[in-house]
Amino acid sequence: MARNCSVAAALGIVGEQWALLALREVFLGVRRFDAIQEATGAPRAVLIRRLRTLVDAGVLELHDYREPGSRTRQEYRLTAAGRELQPVLTALMQWGDKHLAGPGGPPLAVSHSDCGAPVRAVLRCDAGHQLPDTGRGLIATPAGRQAE
């Protein structure tokens, strides 16, 4: 019997290449379908399905816009649930920068707009302790039970 797992449920929504790349673009301020498709290289039919899944799951929402002299169109915007995926994308980028970047280094740097310092995803417990990237120090317990 398969484990009841939040990771598996989340992957059912965002765990596909085109979904994550579409989210990357929306985080970068690209909101219109044609621009998302161009930036990701996703096949049109596949991208339509992925974006619909993200909208249906409440990660993205559609907003109407209208250019002067044009018909009304729709663009994609992050919901609160979508914005909460920023650490996930940051962690994936960090991992790719460390393990997959070529000789020229990472293609993109993310920094804090207020101070300019690099941004990193970190594991931190509710008491404020930072955990190592290795996963050491983690204990998994069934929901509703305290770790012993």
Side-chain angles (χ1 to χ4, degrees), residues 42-124:
R44 184 175 182 79
V46 172
L47 186 58
I48 288 169
R49 286 193 303 272
R50 296 305 171 261
L51 289 169
R52 187 177 306 128
T53 297
L54 293 170
V55 169
D56 290 347
V59 174
L60 294 176
E61 56 190 9
L62 289 166
H63 283 267
D64 290 340
Y65 74 92
R66 186 170 183 208
E67 300 277 340
S70 297
R71 66 180 172 86
T72 300
R73 296 176 183 245
Q74 292 186 311
E75 66 181 12
Y76 296 92
R77 294 188 188 170
L78 293 161
T79 63
R83 288 187 295 277
E84 290 174 6
L85 286 167
Q86 180 65 63
V88 174
L89 292 175
T90 300
L92 281 171
M93 185 181 79
Q94 235 171 260
W95 186 87
D97 289 350
K98 181 176 180 179
H99 298 286
L100 304 173
L108 183 67
V110 177
S111 58
H112 183 211
S113 62
D114 288 347
C115 71
V119 172
R120 294 189 44 81
V122 296
L123 290 174
R124 189 176 312 278

Side-chain angles (χ1 to χ4, degrees), residues 13-34:
I13 297 166
V14 299
E16 194 272 336
Q17 174 185 1
W18 303 119
L20 287 170
L21 292 177
L23 283 172
R24 175 197 68 191
E25 292 307 313
V26 177
F27 271 109
L28 292 173
V30 178
R31 295 189 175 117
R32 298 177 183 171
F33 180 87
D34 291 339

